[in-house]
Amino acid sequence: MTAIAAKLSPPITSMIRLDHTHAVATFHQYSLYKSRETRQALVKTLCLALEIHAQLEEEIFYPAMRNVEQGEPVLEKSVPEHNEMRRLIDKLRASSPDAADYDETVMQLMRDVLHHVADEETVLLPEAERLLGKERLCELGAQMTKRRLQLVAPNTWEIVKNTARGFSESPMVMVGLAFAAGCLVKRMATR
Ligand SMILES: [Fe+2]
Ligand SMILES: [Fe+2]
């Protein structure tokens, strides 16, 4: 990685917050009245995003924090919490939206994730910004981007497919579709 790339990169703490926002936004699309296909696509999107995020933190962010701060309780419980999250992800992948406990497992996963995210955002990320400094945070951000591309590449088609399906019922997509339909009708009417 070049020194320029490291300087241009956003800090790793901003990237982590953005990943959290994306996971929560995906979860907010999940409603029990949505079709089984939409709920399953949202869960697939969520599970893959959480898996990649956890791996990036374990490979890049947590080791950098351990170098400057040993024994931080939130850091100590982070990997066991990721492992519990992986257990629930495996359970969801082996299940289907028709299963009686599918929705409850999604809620359990997100309860755990929201708690974990709150700990990271109110303890670990501010500590990282205090202890590591902007330059190091940007260097780690560049490492994270490079590794993310490697992890996302084999899943690109899966991500596109599930995002299109999962967000197809979201209000923003509906507004977009209504706008596109309106433009089309207007064009046809003025021909
Ligand atoms: Fe984490
Ligand atoms: Fe995180």
Side-chain angles (χ1 to χ4, degrees):
M1 182 201 327
T2 65
I4 294 173
K7 278 206 174 82
L8 289 176
S9 169
I12 192 167
T13 44
S14 301
M15 291 180 170
I16 289 174
R17 288 189 186 99
L18 203 62
D19 276 359
H20 293 168
T21 303
H22 173 244
V24 174
T26 304
F27 172 62
H28 283 167
Q29 294 300 317
Y30 194 97
S31 306
L32 302 198
Y33 61 75
K34 287 192 174 168
S35 71
R36 63 181 305 287
E37 289 77 17
T38 298
R39 281 182 296 137
Q40 192 166 39
L42 286 167
V43 166
K44 283 181 179 176
T45 299
L46 185 63
C47 290
L48 186 60
L50 290 172
E51 244 176 5
I52 290 175
H53 178 77
Q55 189 172 345
L56 291 170
E57 285 184 336
E58 289 175 19
E59 287 183 7
I60 298 164
F61 181 58
Y62 296 164
M65 286 304 287
R66 279 190 208 103
N67 277 340
V68 291
E69 189 178 45
Q70 282 98 34
E72 160 55 54
V74 172
L75 190 55
E76 293 295 306
K77 67 188 180 86
S78 285
V79 176
E81 285 182 0
H82 282 182
N83 289 337
E84 170 59 12
M85 182 187 82
R86 290 182 176 108
R87 186 186 70 78
L88 292 172
I89 287 173
D90 288 346
K91 187 176 169 186
L92 284 167
R93 284 194 176 133
S95 180
S96 93
D98 301 321
D101 64 348
Y102 190 81
D103 293 323
E104 179 43 37
T105 307
V106 175
M107 299 306 151
Q108 191 186 342
L109 172 65
M110 279 315 291
R111 253 193 320 273
D112 292 354
V113 166
L114 290 169
H115 184 90
H116 181 84
V117 160
D119 278 347
E120 287 188 342
E121 294 202 6
T122 59
V123 179
L124 277 194
L125 300 185
E127 278 179 5
E129 287 167 352
R130 189 168 55 83
L131 297 169
L132 293 170
K134 180 94 187 283
E135 199 174 322
R136 177 73 179 132
L137 291 172
C138 293
E139 196 182 295
L140 291 167
Q143 280 178 33
M144 196 174 184
T145 300
K146 191 176 168 202
R147 184 68 179 125
R148 186 192 302 276
L149 291 173
Q150 291 169 344
L151 296 176
V152 165
N155 297 293
T156 306
W157 172 236
E158 192 66 17
I159 292 168
V160 170
K161 203 174 57 177
N162 289 324
T163 304
R165 173 72 251 196
F167 285 81
S168 63
E169 293 178 43
S170 87
M172 283 312 289
V173 173
M174 291 306 210
V175 168
L177 287 174
F179 179 74
C183 290
L184 192 66
V185 169
K186 206 171 154 193
R187 256 180 75 183
M188 286 167 76
T190 53
R191 261 183 194 169

